[in-house]
Structures are given as C-alpha cells and as structure tokens.
Amino acid sequence: MSLVITPLNCDDVPAVKRLLIAGLTERWGVYEPKYNLDIEGLSSRSSDSLTLVARSAGIVVGTGSLRFVGARRARVVRMSTARERRRHGVAAAILQRLLDHARGSGVNEVVVETTSSWESAIAFYTKHSFIRTHEQDGETHLVLRLR
C-alpha cells in the first residue's frame, strides 16, 4: 500500500486523536486527558506548528507534529503510528517531511524528548541522527542540528 502524507485538516482530527490515544493507552495502560491537553485541544489550525497525517488506503496510520519554539528551533512531538503499520517506514516518512519543513523554515535545530524507558522511541530518533543531550526527570532529550 502506498503512503500519502498531508497536513492535518479538520476532517482528520477525530482519527488522529484516536490514533494518539490508542498509542498512549498501549504504552501506559491508560489515557489521562488531563495530562494530554494538546491532544484534547487538537485542531487543524495552529500558527506555530505543523501536524502531518499519514494515510494508507484512506486510513490514518500515522501522525507527527513540528512545533516552532523560537526563530531557529523546533520540537518534534506526538509521533504515533498505528500498531499494525509499525516498522513499515511510516514514522520515518513523517519525520523526514517534518525535518524538510523545518529546514525550509530556516530552523537550525530540532529537539525531541521522550520518556527514558521508551527505548524504541530513543532508538528511532538516534537512527535518524538525533543525538542524546541529557536526561532530566525521567525524560531523554535529543537534538538534531540541521545547519
């Protein structure tokens, strides 16, 4: 199946929310809305971020966002892939598009943080040239310098 990646639109929001909630529930055993206000308030409009949606056969199978946190810095957040599509290049394709957008926007540095016990996430980012910078409060921080 081919993969189509587009910016989030209002029709995508319910499916993207379901995907994110399913991934968090799978990882943690429960989803707590009060700790995920960005998911609860997800919309297709944001001037400081880009959310991409990956579809296969018209079904949402992945998502990821790039949030601008300064003139030359951005953060990758809320990467998620449907369980049955993991290890098929979905997340890598989304990440590449987010990084291309960051470069095109003049970003010099992209950061990401993930729970330190989430070894598969850390391995994914280091595979894509992110470098660990530090750990703090159970979170591993990574950076990719673009320029």
Side-chain angles (χ1 to χ4, degrees):
M1 296 271 162
S2 67
L3 196 62
V4 176
I5 300 174
T6 60
L8 177 74
N9 68 54
C10 60
D11 293 335
D12 297 326
V13 171
V16 169
K17 278 181 154 179
R18 284 191 300 273
L19 177 69
L20 290 167
I21 291 168
L24 290 170
T25 302
E26 178 186 340
R27 175 68 182 158
W28 304 112
V30 65
Y31 172 75
E32 295 281 348
K34 67 183 178 184
Y35 298 124
N36 298 283
L37 298 178
D38 60 322
I39 294 174
E40 294 303 306
L42 185 66
S43 73
S44 61
R45 294 179 183 226
S46 178
S47 61
D48 66 345
S49 67
L50 169 67
T51 297
L52 296 177
V53 179
R55 288 179 199 74
S56 178
I59 306 294
V60 173
V61 296
T63 190
S65 296
L66 184 73
R67 291 196 184 137
F68 297 94
V69 292
R72 302 272 183 225
R73 193 171 210 223
R75 179 180 308 276
V76 172
V77 297
R78 297 301 186 192
M79 292 284 293
S80 189
T81 303
R83 173 187 257 177
E84 66 278 3
R85 292 302 306 261
R86 292 183 191 146
R87 306 222 183 270
H88 289 93
V90 174
I94 293 168
L95 181 61
Q96 187 58 56
R97 290 277 302 274
L98 291 173
L99 294 176
D100 290 346
H101 183 76
R103 281 184 193 93
S105 299
V107 168
N108 294 332
E109 182 176 88
V110 177
V111 296
V112 67
E113 63 184 64
T114 189
T115 304
S116 295
S117 63
W118 206 332
E119 294 174 10
S120 62
I122 295 168
F124 170 78
Y125 289 112
T126 56
K127 177 181 176 181
H128 290 90
S129 301
F130 282 77
I131 298 168
R132 290 183 201 213
T133 58
H134 64 284
E135 292 195 30
Q136 181 179 349
D137 300 325
E139 298 286 315
T140 297
H141 297 253
L142 303 102
V143 65
L144 176 65
R145 292 185 183 24
L146 299 177
R147 303 185 196 290

